[in-house]
Amino acid sequence: PRAVKKAEPFCPVVGVVATCLLVGSSVAQVAGPILNAGLPLQGAAALLHAVGGVASYLLFKAAGQSETVSRTSAIETSMKSSAFGFLLAKLHFGDYLVRVPAAVSVVWMAVIGSSIA
């Protein structure tokens, strides 16, 4: 408990730095193809996270859950880690472009999930 109390003030900063590194690394590895993909890919990735968050919130509210539970569910749903998808694409597919949708999704996951929170 004492160690947690000492570390607790630094947790938000560590979380932000870790998220920035995760997003930056994923995007930097496929920056060119992301720029070439244009708005359709950006829109699809943004909608994936936004619709997931909104749908989760509405389903939990319709089920009679509290505001806190509904918001937590929306945040958790919209923040599903696309970085894991990026890593899997990198490890298991030879084609370089397979990573691009996951890299774009990592950015939108961070933006939308943080906005909901």
Side-chain angles (χ1 to χ4, degrees):
R2 275 200 244 148
V4 171
K5 286 265 188 223
K6 288 181 181 180
E8 193 172 17
F10 302 102
C11 289
V13 173
V14 171
V16 169
V17 169
T19 299
C20 290
L21 290 173
L22 186 70
V23 170
S25 172
S26 299
V27 171
Q29 292 180 45
V30 289
I34 289 174
L35 291 173
N36 291 334
L39 288 177
L41 179 59
Q42 298 294 327
L47 281 174
L48 171 72
H49 295 283
V51 170
V54 170
S56 176
Y57 177 83
L58 294 174
L59 286 170
F60 272 79
K61 277 306 237 184
Q65 296 296 324
S66 69
E67 180 70 16
T68 302
V69 170
S70 299
R71 285 196 61 186
T72 301
S73 173
I75 292 165
E76 289 299 322
T77 301
S78 65
M79 292 286 289
K80 290 301 171 201
S81 184
S82 305
F84 186 59
F86 182 84
L87 179 64
L88 290 173
K90 184 176 179 179
L91 293 175
H92 298 289
F93 293 96
D95 189 1
Y96 173 75
L97 295 177
V98 174
R99 305 174 200 175
V100 174
V104 171
S105 188
V106 168
V107 174
W108 286 107
M109 171 200 70
V111 170
I112 292 175
S114 300
S115 298
I116 291 173

